[in-house]
Amino acid sequence: MRFKTKRDPWFTVLWTALILVANLVILWPLLLDPQALTSGGLVGLIVPDVLVTALLGWLAIGISYEIKEDVLLVKGGMLRSKIRFEEITRITYHPNIWLGYRLISSRDAIEIHYRTGVLGSVVISPADQERFIEELIRRNHSIQIVDSP
């Protein structure tokens, strides 16, 4: 069962600004040195620019959460986490979205705490939070629900 991420316009603006700044930083030499417009110099700037843009776009657009038979699969670009249901200890509403491991595109997020994670939790923002949480609890009845951290 796949759950899409909730998308806030604020996050869309933030990611767009991040991509624009990354492009500006990479392409800045073209503005400073017209001699960089040689074919070799141009390729040396355009290829990294396209790769960075593609990577940041993939991270922003490729966020999804999938409940499989025995694991929760959290994906965001090349980042993937498999969390076994029995490892999940609690779910927290309204977590701090600025710190830790997070694959979100909305401020309306939840934090999944689990025993085997390097950071101990992941912050996610499924579009249908209630249904998502119900599905997790159906697979692990001992999950605690906490209103805030």
Side-chain angles (χ1 to χ4, degrees):
M1 178 177 305
R2 180 171 286 204
F3 290 84
K4 292 182 179 182
T5 187
K6 186 175 189 176
R7 297 200 185 275
D8 282 353
W10 187 84
F11 269 82
T12 303
V13 169
L14 183 68
W15 273 103
T16 303
L18 179 65
I19 290 171
L20 290 174
V21 167
N23 280 291
L24 181 63
V25 167
I26 292 170
L27 297 176
W28 191 256
L30 286 178
L31 300 173
L32 296 178
D33 183 13
Q35 301 299 326
L37 288 176
T38 65
S39 61
L42 195 57
V43 169
L45 291 172
I46 298 297
V47 169
D49 186 56
V50 168
L51 291 175
V52 166
T53 301
L55 177 65
L56 290 174
W58 185 29
L59 282 169
I61 294 169
I63 298 173
S64 70
Y65 319 111
E66 191 171 347
I67 295 178
K68 295 198 171 223
E69 189 172 320
D70 58 344
V71 295
L72 166 62
L73 183 59
V74 178
K75 297 188 280 188
M78 77 287 208
L79 302 174
R80 293 185 174 9
S81 294
K82 287 183 180 178
I83 305 168
R84 300 187 64 72
F85 297 124
E86 61 267 11
E87 297 296 326
I88 299 173
T89 57
R90 74 181 188 274
I91 297 170
T92 306
Y93 285 98
H94 313 293
N96 182 343
I97 62 170
W98 301 110
L99 299 173
Y101 177 36
R102 58 203 179 279
L103 292 171
I104 59 174
S105 56
S106 172
R107 290 177 282 181
D108 184 20
I110 58 174
E111 186 170 10
I112 308 287
H113 300 267
Y114 57 106
R115 289 188 277 272
T116 56
V118 173
L119 297 174
S121 68
V122 61
V123 179
I124 62 174
S125 57
D128 189 353
Q129 278 186 10
E130 294 307 315
R131 186 165 161 248
F132 180 83
I133 292 170
E134 287 172 8
E135 288 295 326
L136 289 180
I137 290 174
R138 192 166 69 78
R139 288 163 171 80
N140 179 353
H141 300 295
S142 65
I143 296 174
Q144 298 175 358
I145 306 298
V146 180
D147 235 354
S148 62

